[in-house]
Amino acid sequence: MFSFSTPQPDRELAGAIRIFIESIIPFEKDSRNTSHGPTDDLRRELNKLAKDAGLLAPHVSQRYGGKSLTQMQRAIVFEAAGYSPLGPIALHCAAPDEGNMHLLEMVASEAQKEHFLRPLATAQVRSCFAMTEPSPGAGSDPSLLQTTATGDGETFRVSGRKWLITGGEGAAFMILMARTIIEGRDAGATMFLVDLPNPAVKVTRLIDSMDSSFTEGHAVVDIENLVVTKDDVLGEIGQGLRYAQVRLAPARLSHCMRWLGAAQRAHDIAVEHARIRPAFGVPIGQHEAVGFSLADNDMDLHVARLVTMHGAWTLDQGQRGSMESSRAKVIVSEALFRVADRCVQILGGLGLTADTVVAQIFRELRAFRIYDGPSETHRWALARRIVSPKHSSGGSVQ
Ligand SMILES: Cc1cc2nc3c(=O)[nH]c(=O)nc-3n(C[C@H](O)[C@H](O)[C@H](O)COP(=O)(O)OP(=O)(O)OC[C@H]3O[C@@H](n4cnc5c(N)ncnc54)[C@H](O)[C@@H]3O)c2cc1C
């Protein structure tokens, strides 16, 4: 039986988050909100406000102080958080920490959970996830991994270069993906948990990028002769690419949820502007072209919300949701970018300025079509499944 109604407690939680987000919107103009994202100082202040409001890291399990939200509940809560670019940072449900918390909950040993997950889940620290490398290393194609962990199965030395590592500067630990070579044999990709700072791990550059909502931006990280042991392995040796999927399928959906909130904000600002900005004798919203743009926004937002909810529901059924999260990632990232683009157009010159948050949302949404897999690779993955003889044409609604 289908139901589109939201349970009362979830509505109440989302309502509390909306009120909280309204209260932190003034921080969007704070000087600690830099081109490399909010500083750690600003993050800590916002986390404290969220904690005082009882809203910090609501997604994590109760064992770590959260509310053990299902994916469907996350869809509602993360959208509410995304209404401000600072919302996910404040609530501590932003990338990469949110995806890292999920991965650690799923894969880490009890000792690793106490050491890494507990301080992360309670926002005492930040983390980073280091997989991508500059060309010719791993990007869309993770099999190109160049960073290598060489050893005897007990101890490894890791060297390589990672880039676009969100929050690499100032992270208290890193989930590091490396190709493992054990006694000369390729043992596949492995994830290692690395405490930071470590003299063998250096942030050599903070990258200037189009986006500015991730704490401390994106870093180039050079790793030289880093010593790790088998106790530092997250999960099992050689299973890194499988764990990447454990992390990425829900992480992609979480991005959809948060960006949905941001695009809704841009739309709300555009609607307000269309109601009051006069041109040629009427408010611009009464010109058909502007009205149609707002109607197209409404439809894109609605479809994006439904496909995200469906992906969340699929994960809640205990399925891997690879197809659903790929589908949602493409539909939502492209739909929301169209929404933000139309909002800029409706605002005219104002849309290009920092006087509203729309310009920032427009810039940031562009990146969403690339990270966690560019649209092309998701279409490619979907296409491979669709033409597979095992695939049933009824889609995945069961
Ligand atoms: C803002 C931001 C934050 C990020 N944060 C992190 C992070 O914290 N940790 C991390 O490890 N990485 C991070 N990344 C990296 C991100 O995951 C990669 O950019 C992404 O996986 C794509 O890899 P690439 O940039 O190397 O693109 P490439 O692999 O070089 O691909 C370039 C282009 O080639 C095309 N292409 C690739 N494959 C195919 C195909 N099969 N069919 C058709 N066309 C194709 C696509 O158009 C693609 O955009 C971040 C990136 C951004 C932009």
Side-chain angles (χ1 to χ4, degrees), residues 96 128-133 135 137-141 144 162-167 209 211 214 218 247 367-377 380:
C128 66
F129 182 77
M131 180 152 128
T132 307
E133 300 166 341
S135 185
S140 313
D141 182 355
L144 298 174
K162 299 288 182 182
W163 94 308
L164 289 167
I165 305 310
T166 305
S209 62
D211 63 285
F214 296 97
H218 316 287
R247 181 181 185 280
F368 183 31
R369 285 164 52 196
I370 291 178
Y371 56 69
D372 284 6
S375 292
E376 292 86 345
T377 56
W380 186 49

Side-chain angles (χ1 to χ4, degrees), residues 263 267 297 300-301 334-344:
H267 176 68
N297 273 2
D300 271 338
L301 287 164
E334 296 183 0
L336 299 187
F337 184 71
R338 289 194 296 270
V339 169
D341 185 46
R342 290 188 202 109
C343 293
V344 170

Side-chain angles (χ1 to χ4, degrees), residues 67-366:
K67 299 184 193 300
S68 300
L69 297 184
T70 64
Q71 292 292 333
M72 286 288 276
Q73 291 171 318
R74 287 173 202 218
I76 300 161
V77 161
F78 287 7
E79 179 181 340
Y83 202 69
S84 165
L86 287 174
I89 301 282
L91 265 62
H92 199 39
C93 63
D97 287 326
E98 181 260 329
N100 289 349
M101 289 181 227
H102 172 77
L103 181 61
L104 291 169
E105 282 210 62
M106 299 295 289
V107 179
S109 67
E110 280 308 307
Q112 289 170 336
K113 282 181 182 164
E114 281 309 305
H115 185 78
F116 295 102
L117 178 55
R118 191 170 290 284
L120 179 64
T122 46
Q124 293 166 56
V125 301
R126 281 193 297 108
S127 62
C128 66
F129 182 77
M131 180 152 128
T132 307
E133 300 166 341
S135 185
S140 313
D141 182 355
S143 73
L144 298 174
L145 262 185
Q146 308 265 307
T147 301
T148 310
T150 310
D152 58 6
E154 294 287 324
T155 306
F156 301 87
R157 282 185 179 273
V158 190
S159 293
R161 169 170 287 180
K162 299 288 182 182
W163 94 308
L164 289 167
I165 305 310
T166 305
E169 173 71 42
F173 70 90
M174 169 169 69
I175 301 178
L176 171 64
M177 179 86 96
R179 179 180 300 286
T180 338
I181 309 287
I182 300 179
E183 287 167 351
R185 190 179 51 83
D186 187 341
T190 300
M191 285 187 182
F192 295 95
L193 285 161
V194 182
D195 276 309
L196 296 175
N198 182 309
V201 180
K202 292 198 176 79
V203 169
T204 46
R205 184 160 73 95
L206 265 190
I207 305 164
D208 292 327
S209 62
M210 279 169 72
D211 63 285
S212 56
S213 69
F214 296 97
T215 308
E216 301 289 353
H218 316 287
V220 176
V221 181
D222 282 341
I223 302 144
E224 205 177 333
N225 266 322
L226 168 73
V227 178
V228 287
T229 72
K230 72 174 192 327
D231 291 341
D232 303 317
V233 172
L234 177 57
E236 291 171 36
I237 290 174
Q239 296 298 313
L241 294 183
R242 188 161 67 81
Y243 301 144
Q245 289 314 310
V246 169
R247 181 181 185 280
L248 283 174
R252 281 180 203 121
L253 281 175
S254 313
H255 275 305
C256 294
M257 297 164 188
R258 292 181 293 250
W259 286 124
L260 194 48
Q264 182 68 52
R265 170 98 175 273
H267 176 68
D268 290 350
I269 292 169
V271 169
E272 197 48 39
H273 188 73
R275 284 187 184 133
I276 57 171
R277 171 67 170 147
F280 304 99
V282 290
I284 58 168
Q286 289 183 26
H287 291 295
E288 190 178 65
V290 174
F292 277 18
S293 282
L294 292 172
D296 286 343
N297 273 2
D298 177 76
M299 290 186 275
D300 271 338
L301 287 164
H302 192 64
V303 169
R305 194 169 282 119
L306 289 178
V307 77
T308 303
M309 287 282 192
H310 178 244
W313 176 85
T314 306
L315 292 183
D316 283 339
Q317 305 314 300
Q319 297 173 34
R320 279 181 63 198
S322 307
M323 193 156 179
E324 288 74 12
S325 87
S326 280
R327 192 192 280 139
K329 166 71 164 67
V330 177
I331 293 175
V332 176
S333 64
E334 296 183 0
L336 299 187
F337 184 71
R338 289 194 296 270
V339 169
D341 185 46
R342 290 188 202 109
C343 293
V344 170
Q345 193 70 19
I346 290 166
L347 291 181
L350 176 64
L352 278 300
T353 71
D355 284 10
T356 80
V357 74
V358 172
Q360 182 186 355
I361 292 169
F362 171 77
R363 282 197 314 272
E364 311 249 345
L365 271 165
R366 185 64 188 85

